[in-house]
Amino acid sequence: MNFVFISPQFPRTYWNFCDRLRKNGVNVLGIGDTPYDALQPELKGALTEYYRLDTLEDYDQMLRALGFFTFKYGKIDWIESNNEYWLEQDARLRTDFHVTTGVQADEVGRFKSKSGMKAYYKEANVPTARCHKVTTIEAAKTFLAEVGYPVIVKPDVGVGATDTWRLDGEQDLENFFANLPKASYVMEEFIEGDICSYDAITDAECAPLFESMTVWPPSIMDIVLEQRDLAYYVAADMPEPLRRLGRATVKAFGAKSRFVHMEFFRLTKARKGLGEVGDFVGLEVNMRPAGGYTPDMMNYAHSTDVYQIWADMVSANRRLLPESGDDHYCVYASQRDCFDYQHSHQEILEKYGNRIVMCERMPEMNVAQMGNQMYTAHAATLEETEEFIRFVTERK
């Protein structure tokens, strides 16, 4: 089997995907824009060959790279990046090279457009916030007369909280339209709730081989814009309502043979037409693993290896690793260099000792979302999880 992994060096933990494929006997071929000598040793050891490009944005260069691998190794069986930014290009390359093991160019739109997702949520009987495609201020006011302030405005196609704003009144609305971005935008009613993601690895029939829940702060947007401290956790188990809605969403979107990250609101305030406190409401789907070190946190929380489960899905379309039965919490909390905290780096290490499973400085490109210094730890209970977050993030 020939597997082409696009940009295998980013995020840096993605060498694990390549490593497990290689251990399964898969021929792993990498395409990236990082010089070969700068690749991690673990990644170098997992790749059969690496094709370096000046930029992955140049589709002609991508075609030449795939053509070279096809000439040298034969037909390509898989093309994947597991990266939101490259999903559309991945799909286009699959279509052009007749690779049928993933999303095709004419299908990828349903995974990228926030407004387009609504129809698939409806098919899955998953409630979602009311949404309006931004056109004119008059049309926006008509929508606001229905849902009221506040509302969220965000790119119809976008990643994370980039270029996302909350509008709290008429002045915010006028300011937004006075500087209306050129990209297509959507306006969505504001929902009060925690964000809980249904994370899964699915087989070729959309059946889950692995499932996990991660609980995120209510607004990544506020973390970025207001420089709040990021803290989130992978839970020991998953509520059955989320499991049911997650599986239905996977089937409605046809999310087969993938690592998926599907976000839901868990309402902290009842919303007419959507549900009561504690009910789940669909937010958006992402056809890639959760960001940052979350896959590694899943491993720690569930005593498993999601990279191996994913590789077994690719090579055997089934799960070969047994369930461990040893599930607990894994929690992430971070600090920013620009603030003073009650507890120092050394105090955190002394208090939590071997319960800390990851501790490192974050790359500069991730600081806005994830902070400068991160700490990730085991926790036996939700109470211990919340106490860890308080201890790390409490400011002076």
Side-chain angles (χ1 to χ4, degrees):
M1 176 184 288
N2 292 318
F3 191 110
V4 174
F5 206 113
I6 309 295
S7 190
Q9 79 283 1
F10 183 82
R12 71 175 187 82
T13 55
Y14 275 21
W15 69 265
N16 286 283
F17 287 118
C18 299
D19 175 75
R20 306 311 189 274
L21 287 172
R22 182 65 175 263
K23 289 176 178 176
N24 279 13
V26 176
N27 198 35
V28 188
L29 308 166
I31 301 177
D33 54 10
T34 298
Y36 180 78
D37 290 343
L39 299 180
Q40 293 172 265
E42 298 92 341
L43 178 57
K44 289 180 181 179
L47 297 176
T48 300
E49 188 165 351
Y50 179 71
Y51 196 113
R52 194 254 179 175
L53 301 179
D54 296 328
T55 173
L56 301 183
E57 303 277 1
D58 188 331
Y59 194 71
D60 286 339
Q61 289 190 46
M62 295 296 294
L63 288 176
R64 286 196 291 272
L66 265 294
F68 171 78
F69 281 150
T70 301
F71 174 77
K72 187 170 182 178
Y73 297 100
K75 186 179 186 309
I76 304 302
D77 300 291
W78 283 75
I79 299 172
E80 185 60 77
S81 66
N82 276 339
N83 192 309
E84 183 81 22
Y85 189 80
W86 302 116
L87 288 185
E88 290 179 276
Q89 183 169 267
D90 291 350
R92 185 179 175 188
L93 288 168
R94 290 189 200 101
T95 298
D96 286 347
F97 283 85
H98 309 290
V99 175
T100 60
T101 48
V103 180
Q104 301 296 297
D106 61 351
E107 301 173 318
V108 72
R110 69 174 181 264
F111 302 135
K112 297 288 291 182
S113 167
K114 294 178 177 64
S115 59
M117 292 177 186
K118 301 293 183 179
Y120 296 94
Y121 276 122
K122 185 176 181 180
E123 180 182 333
N125 293 316
V126 175
T128 61
R130 286 167 289 183
C131 180
H132 163 73
K133 292 195 76 170
V134 172
T135 52
T136 65
I137 191 169
E138 290 76 20
K141 288 180 177 179
T142 299
F143 176 71
L144 283 160
E146 178 184 352
V147 303
Y149 286 103
V151 290
I152 300 296
V153 288
K154 54 189 177 182
D156 194 22
V157 176
V159 182
T162 304
D163 299 323
T164 297
W165 299 281
R166 170 174 159 165
L167 309 183
D168 289 302
E170 291 291 320
Q171 189 61 56
D172 288 344
L173 180 70
E174 290 177 9
N175 291 342
F176 172 70
F177 274 92
N179 301 280
L180 188 63
K182 293 182 180 180
S184 176
Y185 261 68
V186 295
M187 180 178 291
E188 198 167 67
E189 68 178 309
F190 181 78
I191 295 175
E192 295 185 49
D194 298 320
I195 297 177
C196 301
S197 65
Y198 171 84
D199 298 286
I201 298 170
T202 64
D203 69 11
E205 289 72 45
C206 295
L209 303 176
F210 168 82
E211 296 171 296
S212 180
M213 179 178 80
T214 305
V215 179
W216 306 82
S219 177
I220 298 294
M221 176 184 66
D222 290 342
I223 287 171
V224 173
L225 297 180
E226 300 176 16
Q227 289 198 304
R228 298 182 185 180
D229 297 312
L230 174 63
Y232 71 99
Y233 62 88
V234 176
D237 53 15
M238 179 187 299
E240 282 306 312
L242 179 60
R243 190 186 309 274
R244 175 177 54 80
L245 291 177
R247 291 180 177 183
T249 304
V250 164
K251 289 186 178 180
F253 278 85
K256 62 182 180 179
S257 303
R258 299 199 65 81
F259 207 140
V260 299
H261 170 66
M262 300 184 165
E263 297 176 353
F264 294 80
F265 284 113
R266 181 167 55 189
L267 297 180
T268 55
K269 182 179 180 180
R271 184 82 178 186
K272 186 178 179 180
L274 291 179
E276 302 299 323
V277 172
D279 288 344
F280 290 95
V281 174
L283 175 55
E284 63 181 65
V285 302
N286 298 279
M287 295 297 143
R288 42 81 179 170
Y293 295 126
T294 312
D296 304 273
M297 292 171 63
M298 294 175 193
N299 286 343
Y300 290 119
H302 303 297
S303 302
T304 192
D305 185 344
V306 296
Y307 302 106
Q308 187 63 57
I309 295 170
W310 177 86
D312 292 340
M313 175 273 293
V314 170
S315 58
N317 193 37
R318 59 194 179 100
R319 176 170 177 161
L320 300 178
L321 279 182
E323 299 276 358
S324 71
D326 181 20
D327 299 297
H328 41 272
Y329 290 80
C330 187
V331 53
Y332 175 106
S334 66
Q335 296 182 343
R336 296 184 183 275
D337 292 348
C338 57
F339 299 118
D340 291 325
Y341 294 87
Q342 289 287 351
H343 304 290
S344 68
H345 175 71
Q346 192 58 39
E347 287 173 325
I348 294 169
L349 297 183
E350 288 176 357
K351 179 176 176 64
Y352 288 98
N354 60 11
R355 290 170 59 185
I356 293 181
V357 294
M358 290 186 284
C359 172
E360 63 182 72
R361 300 286 296 177
M362 295 303 295
E364 190 61 34
M365 67 182 303
N366 298 124
V367 166
Q369 298 87 0
M370 304 192 73
N372 296 97
Q373 176 66 48
M374 69 87 118
Y375 304 89
T376 304
H378 280 298
T381 64
L382 179 57
E383 290 71 26
E384 288 184 10
T385 297
E386 292 172 341
E387 171 56 29
F388 177 81
I389 292 172
R390 282 193 295 271
F391 193 85
V392 173
T393 62
E394 186 179 8
R395 297 180 186 175
K396 292 182 178 178

